[in-house]
Amino acid sequence: MKKIYDAVDRFCACHPSFGIPNLMRVIVIGNALVYLLMMFSNPAALSFLAFNLNGVLHGEIWRIITYIFYPGYTSAFSLMISLFFYYWIGSTLEQRWGTTRFNLYYFGGVFLTVVGVTIASLISGQYDLTVAGTGYVNLSMFLAFAALFPDAQVLLFFIIPVKMKWLGILDGALFAFEVVSSLLAGRLTGVVVPLLALLNFFIFIWPEVHYRVQRSRYRNSRQTIQFKKAVQQQQREKGYHHKCCVCGKTDTDYPNLQFRYCSKCAGYHCFCQEHIFNHVHFTEE
């Protein structure tokens, strides 16, 4: 998984202009237009937009992409709230990651959804299994936002402030419920597609979250230098505040010299700018 994440990093670095800028705006406008067409025509007439393996095998290749524009709600109000919410989430993720990474994440989820429905169709022999809309892709995007911005707050029902980390836990519970209920009901699509959406989430998000956890643990470990305490200790030394442990230079004798504390040494040891990266680390006895 980390190798895939590193490959994504390299691709993003080499192709900074790859992808569709403001992708969620395109998705939202596409969903709104299709919903308007559904209002003024028979909804079944737009079924050619949904993805199923049978249609693709008969040459309807466009279904691989057009299903993302199929609205997931029949109520205009619910659709409006949903589109606004996911536009906010998607735009924020694009600002955080950049256009290239966000496009890879979103279309990675779109591709894995197609793969999941194809696998379920081939195993069950039912080539008419259909997916319309990007429900699991959106839930995966929501989960990514909650992992990266756990303390961001949203107004639940426009009244109750709730942190994203709690909604992210609820989102994960919905994934688990969908998988278990589909497994019990024998709906293979409801098992494979959510799991692949979670796979997309872990490929892109888990290494970043893991790095943040490791960095937080390092900051809180006993090896981390508490700079305020170190400064107070040095200030108790007579005649100077900082003294290099290698050459003995002090900030009193050399006021223009910079002094730093080494985070790899055991205890609080100060070094001048000449020796901060050139000294033997102190270890515990």
Side-chain angles (χ1 to χ4, degrees):
M1 190 174 298
K2 187 178 184 301
K3 291 183 178 179
I4 300 177
Y5 181 83
D6 292 338
V8 170
D9 265 348
R10 289 193 296 270
F11 183 87
C12 292
C14 296
H15 305 85
S17 59
F18 174 84
I20 304 173
N22 298 314
L23 174 62
M24 287 309 298
R25 181 184 300 174
V26 177
I27 302 298
V28 166
I29 293 175
N31 275 259
L33 290 177
V34 173
Y35 182 80
L36 290 175
L37 290 175
M38 293 173 63
M39 289 180 60
F40 296 104
S41 63
N42 185 358
L46 297 176
S47 61
F48 69 92
L49 297 176
F51 172 81
N52 60 62
L53 186 59
N54 185 53
V56 173
L57 292 177
H58 283 82
E60 299 171 354
I61 305 298
W62 64 82
R63 292 176 179 266
I64 296 176
I65 292 296
T66 56
Y67 84 90
I68 68 178
F69 298 110
Y70 206 95
Y73 297 89
T74 56
S75 167
F77 179 76
S78 298
L79 179 66
M80 180 180 66
I81 296 300
S82 173
L83 292 180
F84 174 79
F85 187 66
Y86 285 115
Y87 173 76
W88 172 61
I89 287 178
S91 299
T92 305
L93 288 176
E94 184 173 353
Q95 290 176 5
R96 167 70 180 266
W97 283 339
T99 299
T100 302
R101 185 182 295 273
F102 178 71
N103 274 253
L104 289 176
Y105 183 81
Y106 191 88
F107 284 116
V110 169
F111 171 75
L112 288 176
T113 298
V114 171
V115 170
V117 176
T118 302
I119 291 174
S121 299
L122 293 175
I123 293 177
S124 64
Q126 301 176 2
Y127 289 6
D128 58 347
L129 294 177
T130 301
V131 59
T134 53
Y136 292 116
V137 177
N138 291 339
L139 287 176
S140 171
M141 187 170 64
F142 179 88
L143 202 59
F145 185 91
L148 295 176
F149 306 97
D151 295 323
Q153 286 190 342
V154 295
L155 292 177
L156 193 63
F157 306 117
F158 302 101
I159 300 174
I160 307 171
V162 181
K163 288 188 176 182
M164 288 298 299
K165 60 183 176 182
W166 305 120
L167 295 178
I169 293 174
L170 179 61
D171 189 24
L174 288 175
F175 267 103
F177 175 78
E178 179 64 24
V179 171
V180 173
S181 60
S182 297
L183 190 62
L184 295 176
R187 297 193 306 270
L188 193 57
T189 305
V191 176
V192 178
V193 176
L195 290 179
L196 289 178
L198 286 176
L199 174 63
N200 189 50
F201 165 79
F202 282 110
I203 289 174
F204 279 81
I205 303 299
W206 178 249
E208 184 170 349
V209 173
H210 178 70
Y211 168 75
R212 289 168 56 191
V213 171
Q214 292 295 102
R215 185 176 60 181
S216 177
R217 288 179 179 176
Y218 172 75
R219 286 178 175 176
N220 296 326
S221 68
R222 63 187 181 89
Q223 289 290 341
T224 303
I225 297 301
Q226 301 177 7
F227 289 101
K228 289 185 178 179
K229 185 176 180 180
V231 170
Q232 292 174 358
Q233 177 180 333
Q234 289 288 1
Q235 286 177 346
R236 289 196 293 266
E237 298 285 345
K238 190 175 181 179
Y240 55 84
H241 290 166
H242 305 290
K243 180 180 179 179
C244 179
C245 293
V246 175
C247 63
K249 293 180 180 178
T250 67
D251 56 350
T252 302
D253 298 328
Y254 299 87
N256 295 324
L257 199 62
Q258 295 184 359
F259 293 84
R260 296 288 184 269
Y261 292 90
C262 179
S263 59
K264 296 183 180 180
C265 291
Y268 311 125
H269 298 281
C270 183
F271 300 91
C272 67
Q273 62 191 40
E274 298 174 2
H275 296 106
I276 183 63
F277 299 115
N278 182 24
H279 65 271
V280 178
H281 297 299
F282 288 83
T283 57
E284 293 184 356
E285 297 181 357

